[in-house]
Amino acid sequence: MDRLQGGPFLEISFLMFESESIQVILDKLCDLPIKIEMHMTTDLLQAFHKGYLYDEQDSNSKRIHQICVRLNVHTSRTRRSDLYIQRIANNSLCFSMCFYGSSADVPEWNQIGIKDSELDEFTALLVQIFEKLEFVAGGVAIEQDATFMFDSNLEYPHQEYELTQLTIQSVLRNMNSFYSIVVNKDISKDYNSKQVELLNKGILIRDSLHSTERSNT
């Protein structure tokens, strides 16, 4: 299955501690009410754990651990997705499910767009993932993943992206491009607002003040 082409891309992304194996996490993703078909291989898992040097000419360079897994996600319309898995710091992972995010379909690439009326499906999927995995924080945005919730612009992996350093204050400061976010109760306990929806072990915040505009191209 080919990777997505063009853009923009809508991303459902979330941050997790690496407390379980990647395979266990992926197995849980395939056990959601919204069906997900995953094209995963043993070679990909081995490639993630082995990683590669950021600078191949420098044996002391930091090592990058990142893979892309192909998905079919059965929302109201079956969509292709690329799932990027990255280790952003010690014991800290970012998962990002990318979908073709324009409102227009591109039949020649076998990519369907996302109508405004379908956006809530992606928030629903984010909530389902949270209920299954109980991640630290996650969101739905165009061309932006959950690493933007940190007060940092450094390249990862870096200690500034350790999840123990993530706070509700930094999440709120950096959420102006997200359609919706979910944060667990461990870091949202000091946040009180009538705008939140309570989840079993976290909160859901919808529609930030400045939603990202989607392109029709």
Side-chain angles (χ1 to χ4, degrees):
M1 186 171 68
D2 295 333
R3 289 191 179 182
L4 297 176
Q5 302 181 60
F9 298 114
L10 183 141
E11 301 185 41
I12 296 177
S13 59
F14 53 95
L15 305 167
M16 287 190 65
F17 288 106
E18 196 172 355
S19 55
E20 297 180 301
S21 72
I22 300 295
Q23 186 62 64
V24 169
I25 294 171
L26 295 180
D27 288 344
K28 289 182 178 180
L29 271 180
C30 292
D31 191 32
L32 299 175
I34 292 179
K35 180 181 178 182
I36 295 178
E37 297 174 302
M38 189 170 297
H39 305 268
M40 185 63 177
T41 66
T42 302
D43 289 345
L44 269 179
L45 272 179
Q46 292 174 345
F48 176 85
H49 291 296
K50 181 180 180 181
Y52 59 90
L53 292 176
Y54 179 78
D55 182 354
E56 294 183 353
Q57 307 303 317
D58 181 4
S59 60
N60 294 317
S61 172
K62 61 184 176 182
R63 187 165 289 272
I64 307 298
H65 299 268
Q66 173 180 306
I67 56 172
C68 177
V69 182
R70 307 295 197 279
L71 307 176
N72 285 326
V73 181
H74 294 258
T75 54
S76 59
R77 298 191 288 167
T78 300
R79 303 176 185 277
R80 292 163 52 200
S81 176
D82 290 337
L83 171 63
Y84 291 91
I85 307 170
Q86 303 173 76
R87 183 176 291 142
I88 58 175
N90 183 42
N91 199 35
S92 302
L93 299 173
C94 179
F95 292 76
S96 184
M97 299 171 62
C98 296
F99 299 86
Y100 181 64
S102 172
S103 59
D105 295 346
V106 184
E108 61 269 29
W109 291 345
N110 189 28
Q111 294 178 174
I112 60 173
I114 299 173
K115 302 173 184 177
D116 289 343
S117 60
E118 295 174 314
L119 280 172
D120 281 348
E121 297 179 17
F122 296 88
T123 294
L125 179 54
L126 177 70
V127 171
Q128 288 184 13
I129 295 171
F130 175 74
E131 291 173 343
K132 179 65 69 170
L133 296 177
E134 297 181 12
F135 55 70
V136 175
V140 179
I142 293 288
E143 298 284 351
Q144 186 161 294
D145 65 37
T147 59
F148 282 82
M149 295 179 181
F150 288 90
D151 287 326
S152 178
N153 57 5
L154 296 174
E155 293 184 345
Y156 42 79
H158 193 279
Q159 63 183 9
E160 287 194 8
Y161 294 98
E162 291 181 1
L163 294 183
T164 53
Q165 300 192 47
L166 187 65
T167 66
I168 187 62
Q169 289 77 21
S170 68
V171 172
L172 295 174
R173 277 194 295 269
N174 297 294
M175 67 166 288
N176 64 333
S177 294
F178 287 89
Y179 290 115
S180 55
I181 65 169
V182 169
V183 185
N184 73 13
K185 287 186 177 178
D186 288 339
I187 65 171
S188 65
K189 58 187 176 182
D190 297 325
Y191 179 64
N192 294 308
S193 172
K194 294 180 180 179
Q195 297 178 348
V196 306
E197 297 177 40
L198 297 179
L199 305 176
N200 183 30
K201 294 187 178 181
I203 61 171
L204 166 65
I205 307 175
R206 296 178 182 266
D207 298 328
S208 63
L209 293 176
H210 305 287
S211 295
T212 303
E213 294 184 358
R214 294 187 297 149
S215 169
N216 290 321
T217 59

